[in-house]
Amino acid sequence: MLSASATSMVMSYNETFIVGQMLKNEELLAEYRVAANILSISLFLLEALLVFILPYFIQHIGDKQWIWENYKKLFVINGAVMTVFHLGLFLFAKLYLFVFAGREYLDAVPLVRMFLVASWIQAVFRGISGNILAVTGEEKFNLKINIVFVIVHAVIDVTAVKLLGIYGAAIALIVVYFLSGLIMNLHLRNICNSQTGEIEHDEN
């Protein structure tokens, strides 16, 4: 689980390194770092939610049907809350930058909004499913997925930054978060449904 978390964090460090090495522009790198700070806000909210809900899922670690049914409810509730939260930040991105970064960084508004899209995907599709997979004994799966997507992210990031500049970094993060989150959700559904099918077969 520690290794899976560490490899997941590597993506953000990779991105900063790639942007810095490829663009060779201190002003753009500063804009990138200021814009990327928005990711930590939703991460804080997500971690607070996980501290509260994960013990309930751990209590039902052997009941995959319970886990899947309650994950679906949690997905809807978390998705609604995170959508409202991210939409608010999206609309007031200029005010956010003005207050927390200063007038000189107002040009980073489009980049902040792109990172908010990545943040929303992470908070809704990736963060909770990955943690629930970990507590249900799928931590090795998480590690494999993270290793694969660290490599995929580096490749996409280099290509996207080369073609689109600083905005390519945000696009690369959006793509990788979406694909990895989709795979995690599908895997969680499959392992839960497979146990449900086994239980029904035993009952018959």
Side-chain angles (χ1 to χ4, degrees), residues 112-159:
V112 166
R113 287 174 171 162
M114 292 177 73
F115 276 119
L116 280 169
V117 174
S119 173
W120 181 84
I121 294 171
Q122 163 72 359
V124 176
F125 284 94
R126 193 169 180 268
I128 294 180
S129 60
N131 278 275
I132 291 177
L133 281 169
V135 301
T136 54
E138 294 293 317
E139 65 277 359
K140 290 182 180 179
F141 174 83
N142 280 353
L143 178 59
K144 292 174 184 177
I145 284 295
N146 286 340
I147 290 173
V148 168
F149 276 99
V150 162
I151 299 170
V152 171
H153 174 253
V155 173
I156 295 176
D157 209 22
V158 169
T159 305

Short mmCIF file of all heavy atoms in Angstrom, two decimals, residues 112-159:
data_model
loop_
_atom_site.label_atom_id
_atom_site.label_comp_id
_atom_site.label_asym_id
_atom_site.label_seq_id
_atom_site.Cartn_x
_atom_site.Cartn_y
_atom_site.Cartn_z
N VAL A 112 -5.44 26.75 -14.27
CA VAL A 112 -6.10 26.36 -13.02
C VAL A 112 -7.38 25.58 -13.34
O VAL A 112 -7.68 24.55 -12.71
CB VAL A 112 -6.43 27.60 -12.16
CG1 VAL A 112 -7.41 27.24 -11.04
CG2 VAL A 112 -5.17 28.18 -11.56
N ARG A 113 -8.15 26.06 -14.30
CA ARG A 113 -9.40 25.39 -14.64
C ARG A 113 -9.16 24.00 -15.23
O ARG A 113 -9.94 23.08 -14.98
CB ARG A 113 -10.20 26.27 -15.61
CG ARG A 113 -10.81 27.49 -14.91
CD ARG A 113 -11.47 28.44 -15.85
NE ARG A 113 -12.20 29.47 -15.10
CZ ARG A 113 -12.61 30.61 -15.60
NH1 ARG A 113 -12.35 30.91 -16.87
NH2 ARG A 113 -13.26 31.47 -14.84
N MET A 114 -8.08 23.84 -15.97
CA MET A 114 -7.75 22.51 -16.50
C MET A 114 -7.35 21.57 -15.36
O MET A 114 -7.74 20.40 -15.34
CB MET A 114 -6.63 22.63 -17.53
CG MET A 114 -7.05 23.35 -18.80
SD MET A 114 -5.69 23.57 -19.97
CE MET A 114 -5.53 21.88 -20.58
N PHE A 115 -6.59 22.08 -14.40
CA PHE A 115 -6.23 21.25 -13.25
C PHE A 115 -7.44 20.92 -12.40
O PHE A 115 -7.48 19.87 -11.74
CB PHE A 115 -5.16 21.94 -12.41
CG PHE A 115 -3.76 21.73 -12.90
CD1 PHE A 115 -2.97 22.78 -13.30
CD2 PHE A 115 -3.24 20.44 -12.98
CE1 PHE A 115 -1.68 22.59 -13.75
CE2 PHE A 115 -1.95 20.23 -13.45
CZ PHE A 115 -1.16 21.30 -13.84
N LEU A 116 -8.43 21.79 -12.38
CA LEU A 116 -9.67 21.49 -11.66
C LEU A 116 -10.41 20.31 -12.28
O LEU A 116 -11.04 19.52 -11.57
CB LEU A 116 -10.57 22.73 -11.61
CG LEU A 116 -10.21 23.77 -10.56
CD1 LEU A 116 -11.00 25.06 -10.78
CD2 LEU A 116 -10.46 23.23 -9.15
N VAL A 117 -10.34 20.19 -13.59
CA VAL A 117 -10.93 19.03 -14.26
C VAL A 117 -10.21 17.76 -13.82
O VAL A 117 -10.84 16.74 -13.48
CB VAL A 117 -10.87 19.18 -15.80
CG1 VAL A 117 -11.36 17.90 -16.48
CG2 VAL A 117 -11.69 20.38 -16.26
N ALA A 118 -8.86 17.82 -13.80
CA ALA A 118 -8.08 16.68 -13.33
C ALA A 118 -8.39 16.37 -11.87
O ALA A 118 -8.53 15.21 -11.48
CB ALA A 118 -6.58 16.97 -13.50
N SER A 119 -8.52 17.41 -11.07
CA SER A 119 -8.83 17.25 -9.65
C SER A 119 -10.19 16.59 -9.45
O SER A 119 -10.34 15.71 -8.59
CB SER A 119 -8.80 18.62 -8.96
OG SER A 119 -9.25 18.53 -7.63
N TRP A 120 -11.17 17.00 -10.24
CA TRP A 120 -12.51 16.41 -10.12
C TRP A 120 -12.48 14.92 -10.47
O TRP A 120 -13.09 14.10 -9.78
CB TRP A 120 -13.47 17.15 -11.06
CG TRP A 120 -14.88 16.63 -11.00
CD1 TRP A 120 -15.84 16.98 -10.10
CD2 TRP A 120 -15.48 15.67 -11.87
NE1 TRP A 120 -17.01 16.29 -10.35
CE2 TRP A 120 -16.81 15.47 -11.43
CE3 TRP A 120 -15.03 14.95 -12.97
CZ2 TRP A 120 -17.68 14.60 -12.06
CZ3 TRP A 120 -15.89 14.06 -13.59
CH2 TRP A 120 -17.20 13.90 -13.15
N ILE A 121 -11.76 14.57 -11.52
CA ILE A 121 -11.65 13.16 -11.92
C ILE A 121 -10.97 12.36 -10.81
O ILE A 121 -11.40 11.26 -10.47
CB ILE A 121 -10.87 13.03 -13.24
CG1 ILE A 121 -11.66 13.67 -14.38
CG2 ILE A 121 -10.58 11.56 -13.55
CD1 ILE A 121 -10.89 13.78 -15.68
N GLN A 122 -9.91 12.92 -10.24
CA GLN A 122 -9.20 12.24 -9.15
C GLN A 122 -10.11 12.04 -7.95
O GLN A 122 -10.15 10.96 -7.36
CB GLN A 122 -7.96 13.07 -8.76
CG GLN A 122 -7.35 12.74 -7.41
CD GLN A 122 -6.62 11.41 -7.38
OE1 GLN A 122 -6.57 10.69 -8.38
NE2 GLN A 122 -6.04 11.08 -6.24
N ALA A 123 -10.86 13.07 -7.59
CA ALA A 123 -11.70 13.02 -6.39
C ALA A 123 -12.91 12.10 -6.56
O ALA A 123 -13.35 11.47 -5.61
CB ALA A 123 -12.17 14.43 -6.03
N VAL A 124 -13.45 12.02 -7.78
CA VAL A 124 -14.68 11.26 -8.01
C VAL A 124 -14.40 9.84 -8.51
O VAL A 124 -14.98 8.87 -8.00
CB VAL A 124 -15.59 12.00 -9.02
CG1 VAL A 124 -16.83 11.17 -9.33
CG2 VAL A 124 -16.01 13.36 -8.45
N PHE A 125 -13.52 9.69 -9.48
CA PHE A 125 -13.34 8.39 -10.14
C PHE A 125 -12.18 7.57 -9.57
O PHE A 125 -12.21 6.35 -9.64
CB PHE A 125 -13.09 8.59 -11.64
CG PHE A 125 -14.32 8.92 -12.42
CD1 PHE A 125 -14.67 10.24 -12.66
CD2 PHE A 125 -15.16 7.92 -12.89
CE1 PHE A 125 -15.82 10.55 -13.37
CE2 PHE A 125 -16.30 8.23 -13.59
CZ PHE A 125 -16.63 9.55 -13.84
N ARG A 126 -11.17 8.24 -9.04
CA ARG A 126 -9.93 7.52 -8.75
C ARG A 126 -9.62 7.35 -7.27
O ARG A 126 -9.24 6.28 -6.84
CB ARG A 126 -8.78 8.28 -9.43
CG ARG A 126 -7.47 7.52 -9.52
CD ARG A 126 -6.51 8.26 -10.44
NE ARG A 126 -5.24 7.57 -10.54
CZ ARG A 126 -4.19 7.82 -9.77
NH1 ARG A 126 -4.26 8.75 -8.83
NH2 ARG A 126 -3.07 7.14 -9.92
N GLY A 127 -9.81 8.40 -6.50
CA GLY A 127 -9.38 8.40 -5.11
C GLY A 127 -10.08 7.38 -4.24
O GLY A 127 -9.43 6.59 -3.54
N ILE A 128 -11.40 7.37 -4.27
CA ILE A 128 -12.15 6.47 -3.39
C ILE A 128 -12.05 5.02 -3.87
O ILE A 128 -11.83 4.11 -3.06
CB ILE A 128 -13.62 6.92 -3.31
CG1 ILE A 128 -13.71 8.27 -2.60
CG2 ILE A 128 -14.45 5.88 -2.55
CD1 ILE A 128 -15.10 8.81 -2.46
N SER A 129 -12.19 4.80 -5.16
CA SER A 129 -12.12 3.42 -5.68
C SER A 129 -10.77 2.79 -5.38
O SER A 129 -10.68 1.62 -5.00
CB SER A 129 -12.40 3.40 -7.19
OG SER A 129 -11.44 4.19 -7.88
N GLY A 130 -9.69 3.57 -5.53
CA GLY A 130 -8.35 3.04 -5.26
C GLY A 130 -8.18 2.65 -3.80
O GLY A 130 -7.59 1.61 -3.49
N ASN A 131 -8.69 3.47 -2.90
CA ASN A 131 -8.57 3.17 -1.47
C ASN A 131 -9.42 1.98 -1.06
O ASN A 131 -9.01 1.18 -0.22
CB ASN A 131 -8.93 4.41 -0.65
CG ASN A 131 -7.79 5.39 -0.53
OD1 ASN A 131 -6.94 5.27 0.34
ND2 ASN A 131 -7.75 6.35 -1.44
N ILE A 132 -10.61 1.87 -1.63
CA ILE A 132 -11.47 0.72 -1.30
C ILE A 132 -10.86 -0.56 -1.86
O ILE A 132 -10.91 -1.61 -1.21
CB ILE A 132 -12.89 0.95 -1.83
CG1 ILE A 132 -13.56 2.06 -1.03
CG2 ILE A 132 -13.72 -0.34 -1.73
CD1 ILE A 132 -14.94 2.43 -1.49
N LEU A 133 -10.26 -0.49 -3.03
CA LEU A 133 -9.56 -1.66 -3.55
C LEU A 133 -8.45 -2.10 -2.59
O LEU A 133 -8.24 -3.29 -2.35
CB LEU A 133 -8.96 -1.35 -4.92
CG LEU A 133 -9.91 -1.40 -6.12
CD1 LEU A 133 -9.25 -0.82 -7.36
CD2 LEU A 133 -10.38 -2.83 -6.38
N ALA A 134 -7.75 -1.11 -2.03
CA ALA A 134 -6.64 -1.42 -1.12
C ALA A 134 -7.12 -2.14 0.13
O ALA A 134 -6.51 -3.13 0.56
CB ALA A 134 -5.91 -0.14 -0.74
N VAL A 135 -8.23 -1.68 0.70
CA VAL A 135 -8.70 -2.30 1.95
C VAL A 135 -9.42 -3.63 1.71
O VAL A 135 -9.70 -4.36 2.66
CB VAL A 135 -9.64 -1.35 2.75
CG1 VAL A 135 -8.92 -0.06 3.08
CG2 VAL A 135 -10.93 -1.07 2.00
N THR A 136 -9.71 -3.95 0.46
CA THR A 136 -10.33 -5.24 0.15
C THR A 136 -9.31 -6.26 -0.35
O THR A 136 -9.67 -7.29 -0.92
CB THR A 136 -11.45 -5.08 -0.89
OG1 THR A 136 -10.93 -4.42 -2.06
CG2 THR A 136 -12.61 -4.28 -0.33
N GLY A 137 -8.03 -5.95 -0.17
CA GLY A 137 -6.99 -6.92 -0.52
C GLY A 137 -6.47 -6.80 -1.94
O GLY A 137 -5.79 -7.70 -2.41
N GLU A 138 -6.75 -5.68 -2.60
CA GLU A 138 -6.30 -5.50 -3.97
C GLU A 138 -5.16 -4.48 -4.07
O GLU A 138 -5.00 -3.81 -5.08
CB GLU A 138 -7.48 -5.02 -4.84
CG GLU A 138 -8.58 -6.05 -4.99
CD GLU A 138 -8.15 -7.26 -5.80
OE1 GLU A 138 -7.48 -7.08 -6.83
OE2 GLU A 138 -8.48 -8.39 -5.39
N GLU A 139 -4.36 -4.39 -3.01
CA GLU A 139 -3.27 -3.40 -3.01
C GLU A 139 -2.22 -3.70 -4.07
O GLU A 139 -1.60 -2.78 -4.62
CB GLU A 139 -2.62 -3.30 -1.62
CG GLU A 139 -1.91 -4.54 -1.13
CD GLU A 139 -2.84 -5.56 -0.50
OE1 GLU A 139 -4.06 -5.32 -0.41
OE2 GLU A 139 -2.34 -6.63 -0.10
N LYS A 140 -2.02 -4.98 -4.39
CA LYS A 140 -1.05 -5.31 -5.45
C LYS A 140 -1.55 -4.85 -6.81
O LYS A 140 -0.77 -4.42 -7.67
CB LYS A 140 -0.78 -6.82 -5.46
CG LYS A 140 0.01 -7.30 -4.26
CD LYS A 140 0.31 -8.80 -4.34
CE LYS A 140 1.10 -9.25 -3.12
NZ LYS A 140 1.38 -10.71 -3.17
N PHE A 141 -2.86 -4.95 -7.01
CA PHE A 141 -3.45 -4.44 -8.26
C PHE A 141 -3.22 -2.94 -8.37
O PHE A 141 -2.83 -2.43 -9.43
CB PHE A 141 -4.95 -4.74 -8.29
CG PHE A 141 -5.66 -4.13 -9.47
CD1 PHE A 141 -5.66 -4.75 -10.70
CD2 PHE A 141 -6.33 -2.91 -9.33
CE1 PHE A 141 -6.31 -4.18 -11.79
CE2 PHE A 141 -6.98 -2.33 -10.41
CZ PHE A 141 -6.96 -2.96 -11.65
N ASN A 142 -3.45 -2.22 -7.27
CA ASN A 142 -3.21 -0.77 -7.26
C ASN A 142 -1.76 -0.44 -7.61
O ASN A 142 -1.49 0.49 -8.37
CB ASN A 142 -3.53 -0.18 -5.88
CG ASN A 142 -5.02 0.03 -5.68
OD1 ASN A 142 -5.81 -0.14 -6.59
ND2 ASN A 142 -5.40 0.41 -4.47
N LEU A 143 -0.84 -1.20 -7.03
CA LEU A 143 0.58 -0.96 -7.29
C LEU A 143 0.90 -1.16 -8.77
O LEU A 143 1.59 -0.34 -9.39
CB LEU A 143 1.44 -1.89 -6.44
CG LEU A 143 2.96 -1.79 -6.65
CD1 LEU A 143 3.46 -0.38 -6.37
CD2 LEU A 143 3.69 -2.81 -5.76
N LYS A 144 0.38 -2.25 -9.36
CA LYS A 144 0.64 -2.52 -10.78
C LYS A 144 0.07 -1.42 -11.66
O LYS A 144 0.74 -0.95 -12.60
CB LYS A 144 0.03 -3.87 -11.17
CG LYS A 144 0.71 -5.07 -10.53
CD LYS A 144 -0.04 -6.35 -10.86
CE LYS A 144 0.58 -7.56 -10.15
NZ LYS A 144 -0.20 -8.80 -10.41
N ILE A 145 -1.17 -1.00 -11.37
CA ILE A 145 -1.80 0.06 -12.16
C ILE A 145 -1.02 1.35 -12.06
O ILE A 145 -0.79 2.05 -13.05
CB ILE A 145 -3.26 0.27 -11.68
CG1 ILE A 145 -4.15 -0.86 -12.19
CG2 ILE A 145 -3.82 1.61 -12.15
CD1 ILE A 145 -4.30 -0.91 -13.69
N ASN A 146 -0.59 1.69 -10.85
CA ASN A 146 0.15 2.94 -10.67
C ASN A 146 1.49 2.92 -11.39
O ASN A 146 1.90 3.93 -11.97
CB ASN A 146 0.35 3.22 -9.18
CG ASN A 146 -0.92 3.69 -8.50
OD1 ASN A 146 -1.85 4.15 -9.15
ND2 ASN A 146 -0.98 3.57 -7.19
N ILE A 147 2.18 1.78 -11.34
CA ILE A 147 3.46 1.68 -12.05
C ILE A 147 3.25 1.85 -13.56
O ILE A 147 3.99 2.59 -14.22
CB ILE A 147 4.14 0.32 -11.75
CG1 ILE A 147 4.62 0.29 -10.30
CG2 ILE A 147 5.31 0.09 -12.70
CD1 ILE A 147 5.16 -1.06 -9.85
N VAL A 148 2.24 1.17 -14.08
CA VAL A 148 1.94 1.27 -15.52
C VAL A 148 1.63 2.72 -15.89
O VAL A 148 2.16 3.25 -16.89
CB VAL A 148 0.75 0.35 -15.90
CG1 VAL A 148 0.26 0.69 -17.31
CG2 VAL A 148 1.17 -1.10 -15.82
N PHE A 149 0.80 3.38 -15.09
CA PHE A 149 0.38 4.72 -15.46
C PHE A 149 1.42 5.80 -15.15
O PHE A 149 1.35 6.89 -15.72
CB PHE A 149 -0.97 5.05 -14.83
CG PHE A 149 -2.12 4.53 -15.63
CD1 PHE A 149 -2.74 3.34 -15.30
CD2 PHE A 149 -2.55 5.20 -16.77
CE1 PHE A 149 -3.78 2.84 -16.06
CE2 PHE A 149 -3.58 4.71 -17.55
CZ PHE A 149 -4.21 3.53 -17.20
N VAL A 150 2.36 5.52 -14.28
CA VAL A 150 3.50 6.44 -14.13
C VAL A 150 4.28 6.50 -15.45
O VAL A 150 4.67 7.57 -15.92
CB VAL A 150 4.42 6.00 -12.98
CG1 VAL A 150 5.80 6.66 -13.09
CG2 VAL A 150 3.80 6.37 -11.64
N ILE A 151 4.47 5.33 -16.06
CA ILE A 151 5.19 5.26 -17.34
C ILE A 151 4.35 5.89 -18.45
O ILE A 151 4.86 6.70 -19.25
CB ILE A 151 5.53 3.80 -17.68
CG1 ILE A 151 6.45 3.20 -16.61
CG2 ILE A 151 6.18 3.70 -19.06
CD1 ILE A 151 6.65 1.70 -16.71
N VAL A 152 3.06 5.52 -18.50
CA VAL A 152 2.16 6.08 -19.52
C VAL A 152 2.08 7.60 -19.39
O VAL A 152 2.14 8.33 -20.39
CB VAL A 152 0.75 5.46 -19.40
CG1 VAL A 152 -0.24 6.20 -20.29
CG2 VAL A 152 0.78 3.99 -19.75
N HIS A 153 1.99 8.07 -18.14
CA HIS A 153 1.90 9.51 -17.91
C HIS A 153 3.15 10.23 -18.40
O HIS A 153 3.06 11.30 -19.02
CB HIS A 153 1.70 9.78 -16.42
CG HIS A 153 1.74 11.23 -16.06
ND1 HIS A 153 2.79 11.82 -15.40
CD2 HIS A 153 0.85 12.24 -16.30
CE1 HIS A 153 2.55 13.10 -15.24
NE2 HIS A 153 1.39 13.37 -15.76
N ALA A 154 4.32 9.66 -18.14
CA ALA A 154 5.57 10.29 -18.58
C ALA A 154 5.61 10.41 -20.11
O ALA A 154 5.99 11.46 -20.64
CB ALA A 154 6.76 9.48 -18.07
N VAL A 155 5.17 9.36 -20.79
CA VAL A 155 5.17 9.38 -22.26
C VAL A 155 4.19 10.42 -22.80
O VAL A 155 4.52 11.23 -23.67
CB VAL A 155 4.83 7.98 -22.82
CG1 VAL A 155 4.67 8.03 -24.34
CG2 VAL A 155 5.89 6.97 -22.43
N ILE A 156 2.96 10.39 -22.26
CA ILE A 156 1.94 11.35 -22.71
C ILE A 156 2.36 12.78 -22.37
O ILE A 156 2.19 13.71 -23.16
CB ILE A 156 0.57 11.03 -22.07
CG1 ILE A 156 0.06 9.68 -22.55
CG2 ILE A 156 -0.44 12.13 -22.40
CD1 ILE A 156 -1.25 9.25 -21.89
N ASP A 157 2.95 12.95 -21.18
CA ASP A 157 3.35 14.27 -20.73
C ASP A 157 4.40 14.89 -21.64
O ASP A 157 4.29 16.06 -22.04
CB ASP A 157 3.88 14.18 -19.30
CG ASP A 157 3.67 15.46 -18.51
OD1 ASP A 157 2.77 16.24 -18.90
OD2 ASP A 157 4.38 15.68 -17.52
N VAL A 158 5.41 14.11 -21.97
CA VAL A 158 6.47 14.62 -22.86
C VAL A 158 5.88 15.03 -24.21
O VAL A 158 6.19 16.11 -24.74
CB VAL A 158 7.57 13.55 -23.05
CG1 VAL A 158 8.52 13.96 -24.17
CG2 VAL A 158 8.34 13.35 -21.75
N THR A 159 5.03 14.17 -24.76
CA THR A 159 4.42 14.46 -26.06
C THR A 159 3.51 15.67 -26.00
O THR A 159 3.57 16.57 -26.86
CB THR A 159 3.60 13.24 -26.54
OG1 THR A 159 4.43 12.08 -26.55
CG2 THR A 159 3.05 13.48 -27.94
#
